[in-house]
Amino acid sequence: MNGRTYKLVTGIISLFIALFLAWRIGLWLEPEPKQRNPAPAVPSPAAKEPPFVTGTVRKDLNFEVRNVRFGNRGKTVEGIGIVTFDSDRSDLKAAAVAMLKKLKEKVPAAERIVLTLKPSVDCPVCAMAEVTWDRGKVDMRYGIPSLEQMEEANTLIGTKDKKGETVDRPRLYLPDRETFAAGLAITQAIDAARKKNPSLGDDQLLEQAAAATGLNYAVARRSRDFMAAYYTATEYGEETFTLSLP
């Protein structure tokens, strides 16, 4: 290779090196692309419907009535009355009376009103009371225990029943927000798992619910058992009274 050819080859190589370096430097100096914002959350198309009636019994006791249905040509009204999860027995009665009055005002033709009192429409096992008003007569069946009933039930834990078997039941107490939140989550998860696969047994449903909620299995079981023992719809006694509505 003569000198002229050598210089030509060397020049070509130097040019390629220079172009390569310029390209790399351009990449280094180029600003980083802006991060794209994530897509905004799309609201659920199933917007929550407004309550049929609302009201206030006192400053710390409000109520709603939802999921109202009519029968017997509008003379029968059925619905779900919503109260706070920690309402006691006296709260339930006061709220029920206020709900009946509001419903009668809104549906003057009603001759029979049937309500299930719950802390949440979406809770499958949270019935706190069943209330029926029939032309002035009110039958109220309680699904949550009174303080006396809680104390009585708790004293029996660990003792022997009439069959000689040890009484093993959840300790009852007025639920706090944490207790109710865990119980609501696990009962909703169990209900969803049951709807998805009706053939699952209780233990399998609980295992799936615990996994879905992220709760420890023992905590999930305790929450399930408490909810079933505390919120029973009608198992803690009843009373009858007169309520004249215009």
Side-chain angles (χ1 to χ4, degrees), residues 150-206:
M150 284 189 267
E151 291 176 1
E152 182 180 354
N154 291 339
T155 58
L156 296 176
I157 297 174
T159 63
K160 300 290 185 180
D161 61 16
K162 294 180 180 180
K163 296 181 180 179
E165 299 176 351
T166 301
V167 176
D168 182 17
R169 63 179 62 161
R171 187 178 70 85
L172 296 177
Y173 56 93
L174 192 65
D176 55 22
R177 188 172 298 277
E178 183 179 356
T179 299
F180 179 73
L184 178 61
I186 202 67
T187 53
Q188 287 179 328
I190 289 173
D191 190 54
R194 182 183 290 112
K195 289 177 180 177
K196 186 175 181 180
N197 189 348
S199 65
L200 295 177
D202 290 343
D203 289 340
Q204 293 171 311
L205 289 170
L206 185 58

Side-chain angles (χ1 to χ4, degrees), residues 50-55 63-68 77-82 98-100 102-103 115:
F52 189 72
V53 296
T54 62
F63 67 84
E64 298 178 353
V65 177
R66 294 183 174 274
N67 294 21
V68 171
V77 181
E78 298 181 5
I80 296 177
I82 306 299
M99 290 176 192
L100 293 171
K102 278 277 189 177
L103 285 169
L115 295 173

Side-chain angles (χ1 to χ4, degrees), residues 2-243:
N2 56 36
R4 186 174 181 180
T5 304
Y6 176 80
K7 289 180 181 179
L8 180 60
V9 173
T10 302
I12 293 172
I13 293 173
S14 299
L15 179 61
F16 274 111
I17 292 173
L19 291 173
F20 176 77
L21 290 175
W23 173 67
R24 291 304 303 173
I25 292 171
L27 287 180
W28 295 335
L29 295 178
E30 183 180 352
E32 294 184 4
K34 294 182 178 179
Q35 298 293 326
R36 298 179 62 183
N37 293 327
V42 179
S44 171
K48 189 175 182 180
E49 295 182 1
F52 189 72
V53 296
T54 62
T56 300
V57 179
R58 59 175 188 267
K59 184 177 180 180
D60 60 342
L61 182 57
N62 302 315
F63 67 84
E64 298 178 353
V65 177
R66 294 183 174 274
N67 294 21
V68 171
R69 303 180 304 278
F70 297 93
N72 191 23
R73 299 180 180 179
K75 294 181 180 180
T76 298
V77 181
E78 298 181 5
I80 296 177
I82 306 299
V83 293
T84 57
F85 67 90
D86 56 352
S87 297
D88 61 22
R89 295 273 286 263
S90 62
D91 291 339
L92 294 185
K93 185 175 181 178
V97 169
M99 290 176 192
L100 293 171
K101 290 179 177 179
K102 278 277 189 177
L103 285 169
K104 182 62 174 174
E105 288 175 5
K106 190 158 186 176
V107 190
E111 297 179 356
R112 178 180 170 86
I113 301 174
V114 181
L115 295 173
T116 299
L117 271 55
K118 303 178 71 172
S120 169
V121 172
D122 301 323
C123 183
V125 297
C126 293
M128 304 172 78
E130 298 284 351
V131 184
T132 301
W133 176 83
D134 194 341
R135 299 179 181 88
K137 179 184 176 182
V138 179
D139 291 319
M140 188 158 184
R141 295 169 296 280
Y142 291 101
I144 63 171
S146 64
L147 293 176
E148 292 78 11
Q149 288 172 326
M150 284 189 267
E151 291 176 1
E152 182 180 354
N154 291 339
T155 58
L156 296 176
I157 297 174
T159 63
K160 300 290 185 180
D161 61 16
K162 294 180 180 180
K163 296 181 180 179
E165 299 176 351
T166 301
V167 176
D168 182 17
R169 63 179 62 161
R171 187 178 70 85
L172 296 177
Y173 56 93
L174 192 65
D176 55 22
R177 188 172 298 277
E178 183 179 356
T179 299
F180 179 73
L184 178 61
I186 202 67
T187 53
Q188 287 179 328
I190 289 173
D191 190 54
R194 182 183 290 112
K195 289 177 180 177
K196 186 175 181 180
N197 189 348
S199 65
L200 295 177
D202 290 343
D203 289 340
Q204 293 171 311
L205 289 170
L206 185 58
E207 288 176 358
Q208 290 202 9
T213 58
L215 293 173
N216 175 275
Y217 180 84
V219 174
R221 181 176 60 187
R222 185 164 61 248
S223 298
R224 177 202 63 183
D225 294 346
F226 175 82
M227 296 292 279
Y230 189 84
Y231 299 106
T232 66
T234 60
E235 293 183 14
Y236 284 110
E238 62 182 300
E239 67 173 302
T240 301
F241 56 93
T242 301
L243 179 64

